[in-house]
Amino acid sequence: RKNTKRVPSFRKLLRTSQIKLDNKLKNKQFKQKSAAKKYRKEQKKLREAVRDAISRKPFPLEESKKKQVARKWEEKEEEDALPLDMMDEDDLKLMEDLAQRASFLTRDLSSNEPVHVKKRKHESVIEKYEKVPRRLQTEPEKELIHLLPIKDKSGIIPQAVEKPVLNVAHDEEEDPEDMEEAEDFNEEPLPDLTPEEMAAQRRQKLQERKVHIAALASAILSEPDSNIKKLKELRAMLMEQDPNVAVIVRKLVMVSLMEIFKDIAPSYKIRPLTEAEKATKVKKETQKLREFEEGLVSQYKFYLENLEQTIKDWKQRKLKKSNVISLKAYKGLAEVAVKCLCELLVALPHFNFHNNIIVLIVPLMNDPSKMISELCVEAVKKLFKQDKLGYASLGVVKVISGLVRGRNYDVRPEVLKVFLHLRIKEVELQKDSEDIAPKKKFMTYKEKRKNLSRMQRKWKKAEEKLERELLEAEASESKEKKLKLHTETLNIVFVTYFRILKKAQKSPLLPAVLEGLAKFAHLINVEFFDDLLIVLHSLIASGDLSYRESLHCILSAFHILSGQGDVLNIDPMKFYTHLYKTLFSLHAGGTNEDIGIVLQCLDVMFAKRRKKVSQQRALAFLKRLSILALHVLPDSSIGILATNRVFMQTFPRMDLLLDNESQGSGVYLPELDEPEHCNAQNTALWELHLLQRHYHPTVQKFASHLIAGAPTEGSGVLPLDLSQRSATELFEAYCMKGMTFNPPVASVTPRRKDTFPQMDSFVDEELNKQLQQHITETVVHKPLDFAKHLKESSLA
């Protein structure tokens, strides 16, 4: 008969096989559950049997003889008994019923086990006591060792063996030396090592671990694709349990893994595969690459978790259960972990889990430990300097802003000072609804349909697609995207600064805020200028700021006015007056870093605003700066004289101060703090004559150049290396932080006069003999008789 059934399709077969597999799995699970249940029941029965065997009392040896006699008596009775064939059916049934019941006749009196379990409560104490077998006092108690029971058709049979009793007399006869040897053999104590042997053993263990770490690391670096599983073996050594070498081994493994990840990590971020990508078949090379990437990301994640846990244990002063490492050693481990995290933060800003590292590192910038905080601050500075796109900088700035706000502005100033290292030079200044709205395309769909033919539209679409692919292939970020990132970053920075200015004006963070505003003030939106200038002036007028902080306020104000603030009609005379007043408060010793801020302020206030500065103001600043140059270190004097040179070349009629004849009415008032009313035109720059005799050669050159009227050509012109550099550059070039001469003073060899070793050539021979004789003679000192000399003088 022909089979009329249709052959099932491949999909149907697949579906059917899946159902069958599910049913098989369910059956297998059911069988496993039933087998486990059966096993638990058997174990329960075994435990009950063992418990019964323990509760039973052992029979004495004499009872066995009684049992044998009883058995012989029973055999005789059976022989005498009537055969069953001669008994009636009723009698047989009665005997069977009696046999099933545990009556007095069928009970074995020699056994001590109660048969009627249900009647135990009704038994009397005396009967119970009578059932217990008697033992002689001389008979030692037999101890039993309970064995595993045996199970057969009849049930569970408990097993027990008598414990052998040692002969005490024989043991006492043994020598005590043999006993000591046996005890030593049983205890097996560790051999006592000298300190030298322990140190050698530790060195040997450490060398073995180092060789193992090096072998694993070289294998991974040589073939990362095939040896990615060895990362797990190397990472397992972070849990070294030998207390002698645990600390050093863990440190070595941390650093080794950090270097390995820096070398083998790809230059792109690895994303997890989707379900569709996992289901598709790929080539062997692609599959191998996927396995490598998956293993790398998982091991990198576990490694970062280990580093984080090490730092947390140190911060919480926690000891692990094993107590392999002491609390003191945890600090060293935490420092190495922080160093590894800082290296990964700087080296792998594009790789996975970079944001997690940022969240770990930024709070440690405010750590009480100076070493750890400095490590984290330096790492963030390096990241800012090398970040060209701005993604990593934006992430760090967000976390820092949240940290400052979360700690209620109670953080170290170094946390905010890292903002000064941001690579932001331009931003989107007009950040309004036009920028927030989606950008308009070059040609709308209607325009394309109207102006282009069908073929042209097709070509246009292909060109746009090709441009997008090229940008992705080159991984080049457009300028607009970069500007957006920088704008967002700077907005968060300014929000942090403005919050501190508004809510925490007496905070130690204020100098860092003012310094940051001085650097980024030209990038602030015009809408905030008026309010910000009012706040800065109120801070200066309050008198609570140090002169360094007030200098930062002045610099911030003039940066604001020199950029977009040119369109504002604001007179900053009060800031000029405050700087004029502050000049004589500057430190003249080794910590003269504030001179650099003063030079920047003067450059912004005079050189870049030359058309808005009066002649009286320029003359007053020129005179006061010349007085200041006499009292500061050579590097500061050079910077100030370079600024004076700019004054004399920028503003007309500055040569009035080179003439000793007074111009106009009034007398110069050096103690007056108003530059407009101090009559600076009626004085002279006599300080330059003193500076011409300065010990520093560069100061002498500048002083001579200014006395000559700061010419740009001729005999009094400066050398090119001095004339082409700004005042700030000259101040940094001739820095004297080490309190040494810069440039060093050349060693001058004094001229030696011609000496004649033999003086005999100038003396006559006879005179020379007399001199030698006089030198060799011994001089005899006689007492002086003044009375004798007086008598002689009176007689005369």
Side-chain angles (χ1 to χ4, degrees), residues 41-85:
K41 285 183 179 179
E42 290 178 357
Q43 290 296 318
K44 189 176 179 182
K45 287 181 181 179
L46 284 172
R47 284 195 297 272
E48 289 175 355
V50 170
R51 207 177 294 122
D52 291 342
I54 291 169
S55 64
R56 288 176 184 173
K57 298 287 183 180
F59 296 110
L61 296 175
E62 293 180 357
E63 295 294 330
S64 58
K65 295 178 182 178
K66 293 179 181 179
K67 283 185 179 181
Q68 290 176 3
V69 174
R71 283 175 186 170
K72 289 179 181 177
W73 183 256
E74 286 175 1
E75 287 175 0
K76 288 180 181 179
E77 284 183 350
E78 287 176 1
E79 290 175 0
D80 298 338
L82 293 172
L84 295 176
D85 298 337

Side-chain angles (χ1 to χ4, degrees), residues 133-165:
R134 275 65 170 168
R135 290 188 181 87
L136 297 174
Q137 294 181 357
T138 55
E139 181 185 358
E141 285 191 16
K142 300 287 183 180
E143 294 185 16
L144 294 178
I145 300 173
H146 298 285
L147 304 177
L148 289 173
I150 298 170
K151 185 179 179 184
D152 58 0
K153 293 180 180 179
S154 60
I156 296 169
I157 303 169
Q159 298 289 317
V161 176
E162 292 182 4
K163 187 176 181 180
V165 181

Side-chain angles (χ1 to χ4, degrees), residues 69 137 154 195 218 269 324 384 387 541 678 729 755 766:
V69 174
Q137 294 181 357
S154 60
S218 59
K269 189 174 182 179
V324 176
F384 283 163
D387 186 23
C678 66
E729 290 175 355
T755 56
E766 293 181 2

